[in-house]
Amino acid sequence: MAFGEFDLIETYFTHRLPKRDDVEIGIGDDGAVTRVPDNSDLVIVTDTMVQGVHFDEDTPARAVGHKIVAVNLSDLAAMGAEPAWISLAISLPQVNQEWLTGFAHGLREICDYYSCQLIGGDTTQGPLSITVTAHGFVPRGKAVRRDGAKPGDWLYVSGTLGDAGLALAARQHRRKLNPDYQRRLTERLYFPSPRVALGQSLRGIASSAIDVSDGLLADIKHVLKASHVGARISVDELPLSMALTESLSAEDALTYALTSGDDYELLFTVPESQRGLFDTVTAHSPSKPVCIGRITSDAEVLQLRHGDEPWELPETAHGFEHFSASAIESD
Amino acid sequence: MAFGEFDLIETYFTHRLPKRDDVEIGIGDDGAVTRVPDNSDLVIVTDTMVQGVHFDEDTPARAVGHKIVAVNLSDLAAMGAEPAWISLAISLPQVNQEWLTGFAHGLREICDYYSCQLIGGDTTQGPLSITVTAHGFVPRGKAVRRDGAKPGDWLYVSGTLGDAGLALAARQHRRKLNPDYQRRLTERLYFPSPRVALGQSLRGIASSAIDVSDGLLADIKHVLKASHVGARISVDELPLSMALTESLSAEDALTYALTSGDDYELLFTVPESQRGLFDTVTAHSPSKPVCIGRITSDAEVLQLRHGDEPWELPETAHGFEHFSASAIESD
């Protein structure tokens, strides 16, 4: 509260943000006062981004503002929740008006798009770090969990995989891309699209879901562990962008798709009995989920297949994406 | 998520923490799923503590764990809310088992005491920084706000003021204390008691409330501004501990009480019509609220009185507590 220039910051965040009817008291008191709709559960998620760990100094402030909200909405999407409110805790080394303007712009754009209200937070001096806690609703008992996958369920993933990871590699001079691909992939790294609509459409249809933030192989393990099942994935079915396949060898493209982070796609399982309904509901989904495999009964065993043959990550791939932005993140 | 040693951290927080019936899914999915009681509003607060800003390297880890929860519960108390759940975002430079054990211990003690469940969060590598978002309930429409103070209302404060500020000054070698007082005051700095029960008892009684985190003078200004009123405070009535009065001159004691931070007491206003009820409800309150003045109609004008005379802070006091732990915090 209320000493010196840090007060100024309020001006960046309290104006021109969406206002919702379910917020009784927003920014400006000791806390926000909100209302959860009747017969709804409240879903709460938290993600932190630290400069030097999750983004570098060259990352545009607008991208940082967008992404800290997007990664939280991606977690809400994985639960099937509709976004409602966010709290923002931000530590800044000093008050840099240009940076704050850009950051607030990015944050406001995505909040506007999803009708998500900033309801409060905290501003402190310190190394640049941002934590957002996002709140959303699901109809009571309808949250999509990690632990519901059953043998025989079909395994799906949305969008395309590996794009953000390749963009990061190019920015870090580990890969060279043509300028057009570089631009398109960097857009995926800086301005990920959380699969909010898809997530909500999976309620009552998907048996489990998770968002792909640390790489498909890392994230699917959480589902297999929580659900006590295994999975067989056909690497031929992995959705890859043209920018990825034209910039890399086939093997490297698959390695990026399987191991690099920051995709923010949804990985989920659909029982055979729900597959027709699923196809109908997602027929026109812009995130185009595709079937990449099936759940098995071999607890925590993951098989990768290329045609009818087993497929393995190249030796060099093991650990190679541990430089990725979220490699050391944990939740 | 899920790479290397940061995974270990889960073990510090997921065991032996209170479990509540209103948490459907806790730690271990993309988000927590919770239920707000019917006819209740949800109150949401966020506070960050950064090492080197809000606490120094010598602060015991157990104190840091206690305090990051306490400062959030203090904000909930100022709204009249009953604590329910917290999310924890923590950045650590490295995994220090001894520090984490102490931190988790402090966090668990206070969560246990208030039946508050840790429902999720995020762990990242970075400079030591902790953000907690706390959630609590109030009966619908009964949150206590900052903006309800009216001319003629009585002004109260709980506990004693200035103790934590003096402890900090002693730790920073700006003041010398006898060992017994040093110990007692440091307890107030490290293990503040949020006024959770008092805050809830003020619903429907207090016309406004705020928690005193940046010093009484700084915090009362928020109430006066939000309520468009003024206040007259009798400095003779300020509640001071014996440790404070016996360690400082009368003038310095008042200066600490009025300007130093980290008290985490409640400052609130009670209309004349509610005063009898208030006295009854708080007769046995361990936080012993005392009346220190009255609200006036002079918008944002604060008068300090000593007996019948105006009283002013000594010249040297202006800005002298800007070294306090929360001096540069803003919310």
Side-chain angles (χ1 to χ4, degrees):
Chain A
M1 293 190 206
F3 281 88
E5 61 181 357
F6 275 72
D7 264 354
L8 288 173
I9 292 169
E10 235 179 65
T11 60
Y12 291 93
F13 298 113
T14 50
H15 297 304
R16 299 199 296 149
L17 278 164
K19 297 265 183 287
R20 294 172 57 100
D21 290 343
D22 52 17
V23 177
E24 296 291 306
I25 301 178
I27 293 170
D29 211 308
D30 290 280
V33 179
T34 61
R35 287 196 182 157
V36 175
D38 288 344
N39 299 314
S40 289
D41 286 337
L42 177 70
V43 182
I44 305 170
V45 302
T46 298
D47 262 305
T48 297
M49 284 172 39
V50 179
Q51 190 181 54
V53 180
H54 303 88
F55 61 96
D56 58 29
E57 225 175 308
D58 297 336
T59 307
R62 183 172 148 249
V64 177
H66 172 94
K67 193 160 176 174
I68 187 61
V69 177
V71 300
N72 275 279
L73 298 191
S74 181
D75 281 326
L76 285 181
M79 305 297 293
E82 174 195 340
W85 324 302
I86 63 166
S87 301
L88 170 69
I90 182 165
S91 293
L92 296 164
Q94 71 280 318
V95 174
N96 174 334
Q97 301 223 358
E98 191 186 334
W99 192 90
L100 274 167
T101 303
F103 176 82
H105 182 197
L107 185 131
R108 193 163 54 231
E109 282 173 320
I110 186 166
C111 284
D112 272 342
Y113 186 78
Y114 290 107
S115 302
C116 196
Q117 183 169 342
L118 178 66
I119 52 167
D122 194 9
T123 314
T124 56
Q125 194 179 40
L128 184 54
S129 167
I130 309 137
T131 294
V132 161
T133 299
H135 301 80
F137 311 138
V138 285
R140 193 157 282 193
K142 296 292 184 200
V144 184
R145 316 170 58 119
R146 283 186 188 174
D147 60 5
K150 294 275 182 305
D153 289 355
W154 299 94
L155 186 64
Y156 285 83
V157 70
S158 65
T160 56
L161 298 171
D163 296 336
L166 180 55
L168 185 69
R171 288 193 55 76
Q172 294 176 344
H173 309 293
R174 291 183 280 121
R175 291 282 176 176
K176 230 180 140 45
L177 300 177
N178 83 41
D180 180 44
Y181 290 155
Q182 169 105 35
R183 190 187 49 73
R184 282 200 240 171
L185 295 176
T186 299
E187 188 77 7
R188 292 269 292 160
L189 174 66
Y190 285 166
F191 296 97
S193 296
R195 301 306 185 185
V196 171
L198 176 63
Q200 291 175 58
S201 71
L202 296 180
R203 293 174 196 153
I205 293 178
S207 50
S208 73
I210 191 170
D211 80 320
V212 182
S213 54
D214 296 323
L216 187 126
L217 292 191
D219 290 315
I220 196 173
K221 285 178 186 163
H222 296 302
V223 174
L224 303 188
K225 189 174 176 193
S227 300
H228 309 293
V229 294
R232 196 168 48 238
I233 292 178
S234 166
V235 298
D236 311 312
E237 305 301 332
L238 291 174
L240 307 177
S241 69
M242 187 189 291
L244 192 85
T245 55
E246 300 217 334
S247 303
L248 299 174
S249 70
E251 191 171 66
D252 281 358
L254 290 177
T255 302
Y256 272 91
L258 289 166
T259 63
S260 72
D262 276 340
D263 290 320
Y264 302 106
E265 297 297 346
L266 293 185
L267 177 72
F268 54 95
T269 56
V270 177
E272 175 66 30
S273 63
Q274 298 297 85
R275 221 178 172 196
L277 179 57
F278 170 74
D279 285 342
T280 310
V281 165
T282 59
H284 302 291
S285 169
S287 56
K288 296 185 183 48
V290 295
C291 185
I292 60 168
R294 205 156 187 188
I295 297 298
T296 68
S297 56
D298 297 334
E300 299 190 46
V301 174
L302 179 64
Q303 308 165 55
L304 301 177
R305 313 282 293 187
H306 170 48
D308 292 332
E309 301 294 314
W311 188 88
E312 278 192 22
L313 275 182
E315 268 302 309
T316 53
H318 293 286
F320 107 139
E321 270 304 328
H322 282 231
F323 303 100
S324 96
S326 38
I328 55 158
E329 197 174 347
S330 165
D331 79 359
Chain B
M1 291 191 212
F3 280 88
E5 60 180 356
F6 275 72
D7 264 354
L8 288 174
I9 292 170
E10 235 180 65
T11 59
Y12 291 94
F13 298 113
T14 50
H15 298 303
R16 300 198 297 150
L17 278 163
K19 298 267 183 286
R20 294 172 56 101
D21 290 342
D22 52 17
V23 177
E24 295 292 306
I25 301 178
I27 293 170
D29 210 309
D30 290 281
V33 179
T34 60
R35 285 194 185 159
V36 174
D38 287 345
N39 301 312
S40 289
D41 287 338
L42 177 70
V43 181
I44 305 170
V45 302
T46 298
D47 262 304
T48 297
M49 284 173 35
V50 179
Q51 190 182 54
V53 179
H54 302 88
F55 62 96
D56 57 30
E57 224 174 309
D58 298 336
T59 308
R62 183 173 148 247
V64 177
H66 173 94
K67 194 161 176 175
I68 187 61
V69 178
V71 301
N72 275 280
L73 298 192
S74 181
D75 280 327
L76 286 181
M79 305 297 293
E82 174 194 340
W85 323 302
I86 63 166
S87 301
L88 170 70
I90 182 164
S91 292
L92 296 164
Q94 69 281 320
V95 175
N96 174 334
Q97 300 224 359
E98 189 185 336
W99 192 91
L100 274 168
T101 303
F103 176 82
H105 182 197
L107 185 130
R108 193 163 53 229
E109 282 173 320
I110 186 166
C111 283
D112 272 340
Y113 186 78
Y114 290 107
S115 301
C116 196
Q117 183 169 342
L118 178 68
I119 53 167
D122 194 9
T123 314
T124 55
Q125 193 179 43
L128 184 54
S129 167
I130 309 136
T131 295
V132 160
T133 298
H135 301 79
F137 312 136
V138 285
R140 194 157 280 194
K142 296 292 184 200
V144 184
R145 315 170 59 117
R146 282 186 190 176
D147 61 4
K150 294 276 183 306
D153 289 354
W154 299 95
L155 186 63
Y156 284 82
V157 71
S158 64
T160 56
L161 299 170
D163 296 336
L166 180 55
L168 185 68
R171 289 194 55 76
Q172 295 175 343
H173 308 291
R174 291 182 279 118
R175 291 281 176 177
K176 234 184 138 44
L177 300 176
N178 83 41
D180 180 45
Y181 289 156
Q182 169 104 35
R183 191 187 49 71
R184 281 200 241 171
L185 295 176
T186 299
E187 188 79 5
R188 294 268 293 158
L189 175 66
Y190 284 166
F191 296 97
S193 297
R195 301 306 185 184
V196 171
L198 176 64
Q200 291 176 57
S201 70
L202 295 179
R203 294 175 194 153
I205 293 178
S207 51
S208 73
I210 192 169
D211 80 318
V212 182
S213 53
D214 297 323
L216 187 126
L217 291 190
D219 290 314
I220 196 172
K221 285 177 185 163
H222 297 301
V223 174
L224 302 188
K225 189 173 177 195
S227 300
H228 309 294
V229 293
R232 198 168 48 237
I233 292 177
S234 166
V235 297
D236 311 313
E237 306 300 332
L238 291 174
L240 308 177
S241 68
M242 187 188 291
L244 193 85
T245 55
E246 300 218 333
S247 303
L248 299 174
S249 70
E251 193 172 62
D252 282 357
L254 290 177
T255 302
Y256 271 91
L258 288 165
T259 64
S260 72
D262 277 340
D263 289 321
Y264 302 106
E265 297 297 343
L266 294 185
L267 176 72
F268 55 95
T269 55
V270 177
E272 174 66 28
S273 63
Q274 299 297 84
R275 221 180 173 194
L277 181 56
F278 170 74
D279 284 343
T280 310
V281 165
T282 58
H284 303 289
S285 168
S287 56
K288 296 185 183 48
V290 295
C291 185
I292 60 169
R294 204 155 186 189
I295 297 298
T296 69
S297 57
D298 297 335
E300 298 190 46
V301 175
L302 178 64
Q303 308 165 56
L304 301 176
R305 313 281 292 185
H306 169 50
D308 292 334
E309 302 292 316
W311 188 89
E312 279 192 23
L313 273 182
E315 269 302 309
T316 52
H318 293 286
F320 106 139
E321 270 304 329
H322 282 231
F323 303 100
S324 97
S326 38
I328 54 155
E329 197 175 347
S330 164
D331 78 359

